[in-house]
Amino acid sequence: MDLSTTAFAVNTPKFWGGEKELVADCIETGWISSEGPAVKEFESKMASRCSRRHAIACANGTAALDIAVKALNLSEGDEVILPSFCIISVITQVVRGGSVPVLVDSDATFNMDVSQLASKITPKTKAIICVHTYHFPVDMEPVLALAKEHGIKVIEDAAEMIGQTCLGRPCGSFGEISTMSFYPNKHITTGEGGMVLCDDPELAERCQQLRNLCFDPKKRRFVHEDLGWNYRMTNLQAALGLGQLLHLDEAVQRKREIGRLYSKLLKGCPGLILPPDDLRSETNIYWVYGVELLPSVPCEADEVMKHLAAAKVGTRPFFWPMHEQPVFLQMGLFKGQSFPVAERIARRGFYIPSGLALKDEEVEEVANRVRKVMEMLLSDGGYPK
Ligand SMILES: Cc1ncc(COP(=O)(O)O)c(C=O)c1O
């Protein structure tokens, strides 16, 4: 196959074959809303996959985080520790709910630097949000130990680690409450979708109510004691999720194959730091194939991504740190704060196509183009020094 003129999107989702029938069944039976049976089945299967007692399907991963944060019933002024380097979904409800976000820098793994956690804890600290980012889970052992010592709740954002393990347990099983996203670039997709997972039945009930406008089944319908959202997942989405969940292990395996193939093909590529295949006892899940520019590269990721776009290779920049977000600076948050690793990786990191539908020969073509762009940029007369 001649791939020389093919354009590569940063993500191409994969359907395994059985999904169509499951979604068609919703239309045939008329079960299309959140009331349908696939939602409960998807919840129960995700709960058991993640060794949790309860799962609450919802509209997307951001909604799952909103629900998780609000379900902890934090009071105004309570502090919540979270990484500066993450998607804005992690912090939105913390800020809207009147809690105080306390940021932590990242380490070389792109995850929260857990060695900085202890110094951030005060008597007002009520929660830590751990966000497993790109390749590996957060080093959970010290987080859980600190949380236990200080009576702090842990929220685990496992959006990027569906099917990953940490300390021999599934991601999605850590802390009081975990969240997931089923956006099309995730290991399983429902188009848009998310999940909250927990063990405590009261917490699960609170999450179910928050997802559904705080309707209270014990009260008269349309009488509300609190404000929630309509963050429900439809039966159509859950049916798609059930079809995808059957292939989660294959999806994880394929992502790892794509990641390892890139690492083999890009070995020695000038200017790039490639992700390692393992860390502590964990294997890289390669949710994305994220690379960082070596300090010797005289330009930033934007410039490289521009050249890759010209070579028809889709890319995404890394997250932009929370302490540098205009919206929070305008609110007077994080004034004068600096997190050097987050600032560096935000400017010097990007990821290349690694969607589940990508074939080996396509990975090879992308790797060739990446290498060519890097060689061109770093050659004499390539990038203006
Ligand atoms: C770590 C993490 N958390 C939350 C989200 C938000 O999920 P969603 O796009 O489904 O709202 C994402 C999205 O990619 C994510 O990567």
Side-chain angles (χ1 to χ4, degrees), residues 239-259:
L240 179 52
L242 282 169
Q244 290 262 305
L245 184 54
L246 289 173
H247 299 275
L248 175 56
D249 292 332
E250 285 160 84
V252 170
Q253 193 189 327
R254 180 61 194 149
K255 277 283 196 182
R256 287 191 171 135
E257 282 168 10
I258 292 171

Side-chain angles (χ1 to χ4, degrees), residues 9-74:
V10 74
N11 179 57
T12 34
K14 181 171 172 73
F15 300 100
W16 302 89
E19 295 96 334
K20 230 179 186 170
E21 214 173 291
L22 291 165
V23 174
D25 186 59
C26 301
I27 295 168
E28 275 155 27
T29 59
W31 283 117
I32 54 169
S33 78
S34 61
E35 296 284 315
V39 177
K40 286 191 184 63
E41 191 182 338
F42 188 39
E43 287 175 337
S44 135
K45 291 199 164 143
M46 280 304 295
S48 101
R49 174 78 203 210
C50 297
S51 310
R52 284 288 201 184
R53 289 177 64 196
H54 302 280
I56 299 97
C58 57
N60 51 62
T62 306
L65 280 157
D66 283 353
I67 291 171
V69 171
K70 184 151 181 177
L72 293 185
N73 295 328
L74 304 174

Side-chain angles (χ1 to χ4, degrees), residues 194-215:
M195 193 75 78
V196 179
L197 299 123
C198 63
D199 294 315
D200 177 356
E202 273 175 38
L203 191 56
E205 196 180 317
R206 171 93 173 124
C207 293
Q208 280 156 358
Q209 288 186 8
L210 286 168
R211 164 184 69 175
N212 192 22
L213 296 166
C214 287
F215 277 115

Side-chain angles (χ1 to χ4, degrees), residues 68 86 97 129 131 164 171 242 267 306 335:
C86 65
I129 308 182
V131 188
Q164 173 66 299
C171 287
L242 282 169
K267 195 167 177 219
K306 238 183 347 196
K335 233 190 195 149

